[in-house]
């Protein structure tokens, strides 16, 4: 299921046409956010660190700290 379809099914708007418009707008916002996160990762020079039993880890500070993707996302959200 695409992101747009997920928004359509979760939408509390009664009419299908309004739900589709709402889902399209949400998809645009999500796309812009994803692009922003990707660009932030490039600017911060996020590097692959290790693939451990708990999953892949990354670094943004010269291999001093290790982060999961979700943790990187939280750092990005705090900075924005």
């Amino acid at each position: 299921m695409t992101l747009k379809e997920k928004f359509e099914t979760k939408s509390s708007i009664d009419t299908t046409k309004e739900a589709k418009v709402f889902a399209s707008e949400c998809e645009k916002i999500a796309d812009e956010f994803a692009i922003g996160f990707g660009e932030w990762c490039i600017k911060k020079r996020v590097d692959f660190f290790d693939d451990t039993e708990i999953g892949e880890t990354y670094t943004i500070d010269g291999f001093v700290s290790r982060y999961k993707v979700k943790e990187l996302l939280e750092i990005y959200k705090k900075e924005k």
Side-chain angles (χ1 to χ4, degrees):
M1 182 179 284
T2 67
L3 183 60
K4 186 176 177 181
E5 290 168 339
K6 288 179 183 180
F7 280 125
E8 285 177 10
T9 58
K10 297 290 182 187
S11 175
S12 62
I13 300 170
D14 292 336
T15 68
T16 303
K17 184 179 179 182
E18 288 179 13
K20 288 183 179 187
V21 170
F22 175 74
S24 291
E25 292 302 314
C26 290
E27 183 181 38
K28 288 177 190 173
I29 292 168
D31 286 350
E32 289 171 6
F33 186 84
I35 290 167
F37 179 60
E39 289 174 344
W40 177 86
C41 287
I42 292 167
K43 288 177 187 173
K44 288 288 188 174
R45 297 178 186 237
V46 172
D47 292 312
F48 176 75
F49 187 83
D50 196 7
D51 191 5
T52 66
E53 67 278 353
I54 57 173
E56 293 180 348
T57 55
Y58 298 85
T59 182
I60 57 175
D61 53 11
F63 302 103
V64 175
S65 301
R66 300 175 192 181
Y67 303 98
K68 298 285 181 196
V69 173
K70 190 170 186 170
E71 294 169 317
L72 291 172
L73 180 60
E74 291 303 317
I75 294 168
Y76 169 72
K77 288 177 1 181
K78 286 178 185 176
E79 287 187 13
K80 297 296 167 183

